[in-house]
Amino acid sequence: NGDRWTRRAAAAHPNPSVSIDLQDVTAAGPGNVWAVGLGAAPCGEGVCFTGVIERWNGSSWSFRSVGEQLYGVHALAGDAIYAVGIGRGPAVIHFDGTGWTSVPVPTPKPIGRLFAVDAAANGRLWGVGWQVENGAMRTLAERAPSPDSGAVVGRTGIGNATVSWFGPESGSVEADQFGRFQVGGLDAGAYDFVATFPGCEPATKGVTVVAGTT
């Protein structure tokens, strides 16, 4: 409070067997503070992890669980909060004032994670962590919005479809069980996106990727 420290209890996990390990904290205002971290629970012969988000409203903490394990969080404003960690790879999630959603990583890597996020005076975000490349661990730094690449977020008509893209660069990704997919780090330009699934006619969509946008 400017004079001394007092202890405040974080919101407990609904499952008492889950322990919470908070990693980072940020404030969008005096009554709008966010902390992120990990929830750990016994899982067979090992430990399973989930992501944890705690929010302080000026008088108490509230709890939320997410799929991504979270290590860093930064508030640009009350409706622009970003947290980073690991999901299927390096992960970024965004709070828009009403809920949290996944954000395409500018240059996605299959193995790695982000540990911290901060913003420059112009609002440009930087995330840092590590990645595995050619069998070696290397520094990973992400900048958003990207000055030379963009992202595409979409939904196919069927879950687990394969989504491929062809244009300035080519690649593919598998949609989730709801048909949702996202691709980051695409060089700006015109692309054809094709969704395929066994037994179904392929679906094609033309997309123009603009640098710095999704």
Side-chain angles (χ1 to χ4, degrees):
N1 61 7
D3 179 51
R4 63 185 184 277
W5 289 93
T6 55
R7 185 177 297 277
R8 298 281 187 172
H13 196 287
N15 182 348
S17 68
V18 178
S19 61
I20 294 176
D21 181 10
L22 295 176
Q23 299 284 322
D24 198 14
V25 63
T26 189
N32 192 13
V33 181
W34 297 83
V36 302
L38 312 174
C43 183
E45 297 181 357
V47 178
C48 290
F49 293 95
T50 58
V52 168
I53 298 173
E54 300 255 2
R55 184 177 189 178
W56 172 259
N57 63 7
S59 59
S60 63
W61 290 94
S62 59
F63 171 88
R64 176 178 179 138
S65 179
V66 293
E68 297 86 354
Q69 301 171 38
L70 301 175
Y71 296 94
V73 63
H74 182 76
L76 291 173
D79 58 356
I81 299 167
Y82 291 86
V84 299
I86 181 173
R88 293 185 175 180
V92 180
I93 62 174
H94 170 239
F95 181 76
D96 61 4
T98 58
W100 289 89
T101 56
S102 176
V103 177
V105 179
T107 52
K109 301 292 181 182
I111 302 176
R113 65 184 66 192
L114 294 170
F115 281 103
V117 59
D118 206 342
N122 61 3
R124 188 177 295 278
L125 288 163
W126 291 86
V128 295
W130 59 260
Q131 63 180 341
V132 175
E133 188 174 38
N134 297 325
M137 185 177 292
R138 300 181 182 276
T139 300
L140 172 64
E142 301 279 14
R143 179 173 62 168
S146 169
D148 53 18
S149 65
V152 174
V153 174
R155 181 177 241 170
T156 68
I158 191 169
N160 303 113
T162 298
V163 178
S164 304
W165 54 92
F166 307 91
E169 57 181 298
S170 300
S172 64
V173 69
E174 183 177 315
D176 66 15
Q177 66 267 36
F178 304 106
R180 298 173 302 197
F181 70 92
Q182 58 182 25
V183 185
L186 291 176
D187 291 340
Y191 288 81
D192 287 323
F193 274 72
V194 182
T196 58
F197 191 82
C200 297
E201 288 291 327
T204 303
K205 176 73 174 179
V207 179
T208 299
V209 174
V210 179
T213 66
T214 298

